[in-house]
Structure formats: structure tokens, C-alpha cells
Amino acid sequence: MISAEKIPNNVNLSSNKRLQRALEHWQPKYIQWWRDMGPQGFQDYHQVYVRTAISVDPEGWAHFEYVKLPEYRWGIFLADPTPDRRIGFGDFFGQPVWQEVPGEFRNQLRRLIVTQGDTEPASVEQQRLLGQRCPSLYDLRNLFQVNVEEGRHLWAMVYLLHSYFGRDGRDEAEELLERQSGNRDKPRILEAFNEPIDNWLDFFMFTMFTDRDGKSQLMSLSESSLDPLSRTTRFMLTEEAHHMFVGETGVARILERTCELMKQAGYSEDVRKIGGIDIPTIQKHLNQWFSLSLDLHGGEVSSNAASYFANGLKGRAKEDTFDDHVVRDAYYHMEFFEEGRPVTKEVLMRNAMNEVLRDWYVGDCAAGVTRWNKILERHGMSDRLRLPDRKFNRHIGMYSGFHFDPNGAPLSKEEFERRQHEWLPSKSDSEYLLSIMAEPVYEPGKFANYIAPPRRGINQLPINFEYVRTEA
Ligand code: BYC
């Protein structure tokens, strides 16, 4: 059960006074960060119907109530331990998992935890203005649910830093509140987390594709030999599922509405004329967030990834579904791009672990796009959405110095620059989206013209429930 202390937790925090004091010292800084960098305009006078974990079992982690955002009960929740858990991969396969950080892996583990931790507040910062342009109270509530949980995921990483990395860990926890998304001098660590998310199509694509990178990275960290990291990330994954639901259903509802508007306007008409979001614009935003999220998996050939795997720090998603968990002399067939053409070469599998995880990720994204296309099919549309080729618009890894179209065909830099807005959002696309989102919809049960209502409300409540209310 989660205790009702100043910092809610299921790690018996009160038995470790030093740690408790250190985290209680960090807590007001976190709240200040949330007030300054969290949802703008919704800090003091609004109550939001959110889900808060009160225990980590299936009954307790989905407890719903109205809260004022800065009063959300952010805390430290670890999934229950697995008895006699053993290391599942790498050179220490089969040995008992670690309850403390081995000195020789301290730097690598700290780096992984800091990188993961950095993404969480970054996403809250990226989304802080969206509340003022929301398509409905239902969506506004979902945005805030995602935001408070990202805040809690930061707590999860800060707990690990404070508990297992001493002074360095405490310093890193401070810096997690100092870097800022998009800040020129102190940006967030990974590129996708410095991109602005100022319209709701970007938000839904981000929660569909970038949160899904969160899922693949958290799945691989949940395999870690460091048991507290594994237990922390396992519980984070239960929350992450809702974020992808928000993204997938958000885009699905836009598609649904676009189809309706196209029927209304006559199929050959520009749906923008009646305030809808046309399919090419949806495809461009898909291209943008999918390619940025491919970058988040790191380089195709990575000695960092090989050593994370060898040392048992970061495994593969669903490690237990693989036959070989040591992977000492296996090879991965990888496509390289040399002298303008693709060549397949064998790479030691351990060095290809970023790519193995990316393969899992691409498959998971493709399944989502297939579900979206069913909507277009149902409405009798011939248009289809598709994932661009992996080489398209890459800034990390071996394709980063080259240019490709969404089919993977190589292009010169000039041609790519000339044609990029056929495939990626342009300034005028952003302006159009901002223009149809300029007026927020705060009336219960009402939805902006460009998006269909959801099939059902939250926690079996009606769609017209007042999910966010102003205080009397
Ligand atoms: N941007 O060996 P390489 C989430 C750097 S999302 C900028 O290829 P490695 C969430 C790299 O640091 C999940 N730099 O990469 C979603 C290295 O630098 P150095 C977040 C990048 O080490 C939505 C160099 O390039 N979790 O949870 O295998 C909302 C070559 O590195 C990028 C994690 O990321 C990039 N995209 O790193 C909220 C898990 N990629 O050493 C939350 C933890 C690489 O040359 N992190 N570099 O200076 C990791 O597992 C790894 O650090 C990476 C790949 C997957 C990021």
C-alpha cells in the first residue's frame, strides 16, 4: 500500500531518514518547477478529474478524484519485487539481480537514468501551452493526466538518483529541473524533447510515437539487472499505456471527423475550407514525429548499446521471448548506405541492440497505423496513412548526413530542401492548425470542429462530464 506521508511512496521511505530528508528538500523545487514550467493558466483555479495511484496493484493504481494540479500526489511507486529474480541477459546471465549499483557500472547507469529522467519534465514543458487551445474538456483532462504522470516519472528517476548515486545523483536531480526544453543554453538532452508542441495534432502524434519510444525504452530498462530500476520502470509502463491511448485515439478522432467533413464538402473539396484537418497534413505530422522518435533509439551501430547489453544494464524489449540471452557471436544483417546505394553487412548483434529495439518499435507503430487506416477504409476513402522509410529525416545515426524521401529514395540536399514541405509540416501548416485551435472549447460535452467526440468518457463517466472545473 502507498503511505500517506509528505511524499507518497511504497518504498518505506520513512525508514531511511537521510533519503527522506534529501527528497523532501528536492520536493519544493519540483513544485516550483511545475508552477513555472507546467500547464500555463491551470495552476491555481482549476480542479482536474485525474487518476492517482494509491497502490501498485490493479485495484489501487487507478483511483480517480478531482485535484488542483500543484496538489497532485506525486510519489515513489515501485512494482512489487519478483522473488529470486535473476539477471536475464548479457555476461552475468543467471546470476542474482543487484539491489545496489556495482561501482564499475555506476557511470553508465547514471547516464541511462539521467537520460530517461530528462525526457519526463521536458515533455511537460513542451506541452505547457496546449491547455489554452484545447478541443474539449475531455481532451484537456487527458493532457493533464499525461502531464502529471510525466512529472511522476521524473520522481521515479530522481528517487533512483538520490538513493543509489550519492552526491552525484543529487546534483543530477537538481539539473533535471534546470535544463529546459528548447532552451538555447541549457537544452534537454535528446533532440525530440526540444521540439515545440504547440498544436493538438503535434500532441497526439507525440503521444502516439514519442511516448511509444518511452514504452520501448522502459521495456528494455525493465529488464535491467539493477532491480530497483527494473521495478521502477515496470510500474511506469502501466501509466505509459494511457499516454499512447491518448495519442492513438486523438488521431483516430481527427481522422473520423476529417472523413465526415470530406463527405459533407464533397470529396474533391479542400477540407480546410470547412475547418477540418486534411489527410496530407496528418501524414506530414506523422512523418515528423515518427522520424524524430526513430532518432531517440540512438545510432544503428553503437558500442554504448553493446556494453549496456553485455553488462546487463539495458536489455531488449521482451527479453524472455528471445532464445539466446548472451548473444556473444550472433550477427545482425544491417543495411548501410554507401556511395549512394544500400549494402547489407553483418554487424555483431550486441552492437546492433539499438536497431533491434528500433525494429520492435517500428512494428508496434505499424500496428497503430493499420488501425488508423481501418477508419479511412470504413468511410470508403482511398487515402491511407503510412510510416515513412526509416532513412527519412534522420538526424542521429548513419543516415543523418544524407537525405531521403519517405520511400527511402536518396535525394540531394538541394532537392530535399526544396521538397521537404511535401513531407514535413510547413510554417503555413502550423499557422493553419493554430488558426483552427485559437478558441479553446471549455463547455462540457462540446468538441472543436476538427475532432470527433470519443466513444466513451473517462472511468465510465459520460462524455459531457465536467472533467476540468473552475473553483467556485
Ligand atoms: N538526441 O551510441 P549512441 C520517454 C547521442 S522517451 C541527441 O548511438 P546510445 C518519454 C548519445 O548520447 C524514452 N543525442 O547512443 C516519451 C551519444 O553521445 P556521446 C527516453 C543522441 O548511447 C514521451 C551519441 O549520440 N529513454 O520516456 O546507445 C514523453 C552516440 O550514441 C540521441 C531513453 O532514452 C538523440 N536522439 O543512446 C515522456 C532511455 N541519440 O556519448 C517521456 C535511456 C543518441 O557520443 N537512454 N545520442 O556524447 C538510452 O538508452 C540511450 O541513451 C539512447 C541511445 C537510447 C538515447
Side-chain angles (χ1 to χ4, degrees):
M1 202 62 190
I2 284 166
S3 73
E5 293 160 42
K6 203 165 167 194
I7 301 174
N9 71 90
N10 70 348
V11 293
N12 203 7
L13 189 58
S14 56
S15 69
N16 185 341
K17 291 289 176 223
R18 253 186 82 183
L19 177 63
Q20 187 179 34
R21 260 200 309 277
L23 286 167
E24 284 181 2
H25 186 65
W26 187 80
Q27 191 177 33
K29 298 181 192 174
Y30 170 81
I31 299 291
Q32 194 57 47
W33 165 82
W34 174 270
R35 283 188 170 279
D36 294 343
M37 298 306 295
Q40 199 180 70
F42 293 91
Q43 299 282 342
D44 292 312
Y45 307 108
H46 294 80
Q47 294 187 333
V48 186
Y49 186 73
V50 286
R51 178 179 75 178
T52 312
I54 54 169
S55 73
V56 293
D57 52 40
E59 294 84 56
W61 74 272
H63 170 82
F64 288 85
E65 61 187 341
Y66 274 113
V67 293
K68 269 167 86 166
L69 289 178
E71 291 165 12
Y72 182 81
R73 305 271 297 149
W74 286 287
I76 299 158
F77 313 131
L78 271 59
D80 290 333
T82 308
D84 191 34
R85 188 172 163 247
R86 301 272 153 171
I87 295 176
F89 61 94
D91 293 344
F92 308 107
F93 179 71
Q95 295 181 16
V97 289
W98 315 318
Q99 298 306 330
E100 294 294 334
V101 174
E104 62 272 40
F105 305 136
R106 190 184 157 92
N107 285 348
Q108 283 187 322
L109 278 165
R110 192 184 66 203
R111 182 184 158 151
L112 284 172
I113 293 169
V114 166
T115 308
Q116 177 64 45
D118 192 68
T119 63
E120 316 289 0
S123 68
V124 176
E125 292 165 356
Q126 285 170 295
Q127 297 161 16
R128 64 195 289 260
L129 298 178
L130 287 174
Q132 296 164 20
R133 300 176 186 144
C134 70
S136 72
L137 284 188
Y138 166 89
D139 291 290
L140 185 63
R141 175 260 167 224
N142 281 349
L143 166 72
F144 295 153
Q145 181 72 54
V146 169
N147 291 163
V148 291
E149 284 174 353
E150 300 302 6
R152 205 204 65 71
H153 292 179
L154 170 62
W155 271 93
M157 293 300 115
V158 165
Y159 163 73
L160 295 174
L161 289 169
H162 271 249
S163 306
Y164 300 99
F165 296 89
R167 171 95 228 183
D168 306 356
R170 290 195 294 278
D171 289 347
E172 295 282 11
E174 301 282 313
E175 285 181 39
L176 285 168
L177 298 177
E178 284 163 17
R179 283 185 291 270
Q180 265 175 23
S181 177
N183 185 303
R184 200 187 301 202
D185 302 322
K186 277 202 152 198
R188 291 295 176 182
I189 297 170
L190 300 174
E191 287 179 350
F193 294 89
N194 289 306
E195 294 289 321
I197 302 179
D198 50 14
N199 70 66
W200 281 75
L201 183 55
D202 277 327
F203 172 65
F204 291 136
M205 289 296 180
F206 178 91
T207 38
M208 172 74 177
F209 292 110
T210 309
D211 274 280
R212 196 173 302 275
D213 166 57
K215 177 179 168 189
S216 57
Q217 300 296 338
L218 291 174
M219 282 171 86
S220 63
L221 292 174
S222 72
E223 304 288 342
S224 182
S225 312
L226 179 62
D227 202 41
L229 174 60
S230 162
R231 290 175 54 203
T232 307
T233 45
R234 259 191 288 144
F235 185 65
M236 289 161 77
L237 278 164
T238 59
E239 292 169 325
E240 202 66 40
H242 174 70
H243 304 189
M244 283 171 292
F245 162 85
V246 169
E248 184 171 332
T249 57
V251 175
R253 288 164 47 217
I254 291 180
L255 282 173
E256 188 76 40
R257 183 66 182 147
T258 298
C259 292
E260 284 169 17
L261 289 171
M262 280 170 86
K263 270 186 218 166
Q264 221 171 294
Y267 291 101
S268 57
E269 267 307 310
D270 178 4
V271 79
R272 283 193 185 191
K273 284 192 190 146
I274 46 172
I277 305 181
D278 50 295
I279 292 170
T281 300
I282 298 174
Q283 178 69 57
K284 287 190 218 176
H285 286 76
L286 182 164
N287 292 348
Q288 160 104 338
W289 287 103
F290 176 68
S291 55
L292 281 169
S293 306
L294 288 178
D295 276 344
L296 288 174
H297 289 75
E300 288 75 10
V301 182
S302 165
S303 57
N304 288 341
S307 89
Y308 298 150
F309 187 87
N311 298 336
L313 312 184
K314 184 180 173 197
R316 293 169 288 191
K318 297 197 177 9
E319 184 60 50
D320 58 350
T321 60
F322 291 86
D323 294 329
D324 175 6
H325 299 294
V326 179
V327 200
R328 222 185 291 274
D329 9 72
Y331 288 85
Y332 182 96
H333 296 277
M334 193 177 286
E335 190 182 281
F336 286 79
F337 191 74
E338 285 178 358
E339 291 168 14
R341 61 175 54 109
V343 247
T344 303
K345 288 189 186 172
E346 291 201 325
V347 173
L348 264 181
M349 183 72 86
R350 282 186 174 190
N351 284 311
M353 285 303 173
N354 284 344
E355 195 62 6
V356 171
L357 192 58
R358 193 161 19 234
D359 288 340
W360 178 88
Y361 172 78
V362 172
D364 210 45
C365 291
V369 174
T370 303
R371 290 189 290 274
W372 284 341
N373 281 333
K374 294 228 160 73
I375 300 172
L376 296 171
E377 218 172 293
R378 185 155 44 73
H379 282 272
M381 300 284 169
S382 55
D383 309 73
R384 294 290 178 266
L385 295 173
R386 49 190 291 263
L387 294 177
D389 187 272
R390 286 181 201 217
K391 298 191 276 303
F392 172 74
N393 194 37
R394 294 292 301 280
H395 298 98
I396 297 285
M398 63 183 166
Y399 304 120
S400 60
F402 302 96
H403 297 91
F404 301 89
D405 73 8
N407 295 320
L411 301 173
S412 66
K413 185 168 184 276
E414 293 70 34
E415 193 178 0
F416 181 82
E417 279 169 6
R418 191 164 46 77
R419 297 184 60 193
Q420 59 176 317
H421 294 308
E422 288 174 33
W423 310 308
L424 292 169
S426 65
K427 196 158 171 271
S428 72
D429 293 325
S430 308
E431 282 166 4
Y432 174 69
L433 291 176
L434 286 178
S435 76
I436 58 170
M437 296 176 192
E439 286 300 316
V441 181
Y442 293 144
E443 199 181 320
K446 287 267 181 309
F447 289 80
N449 177 50
Y450 62 85
I451 191 165
R455 288 229 192 95
R456 55 188 78 85
I458 297 295
N459 195 26
Q460 294 167 350
L461 288 168
I463 291 171
N464 64 3
F465 181 74
E466 195 173 12
Y467 290 104
V468 180
R469 64 185 185 197
T470 35
E471 275 189 336

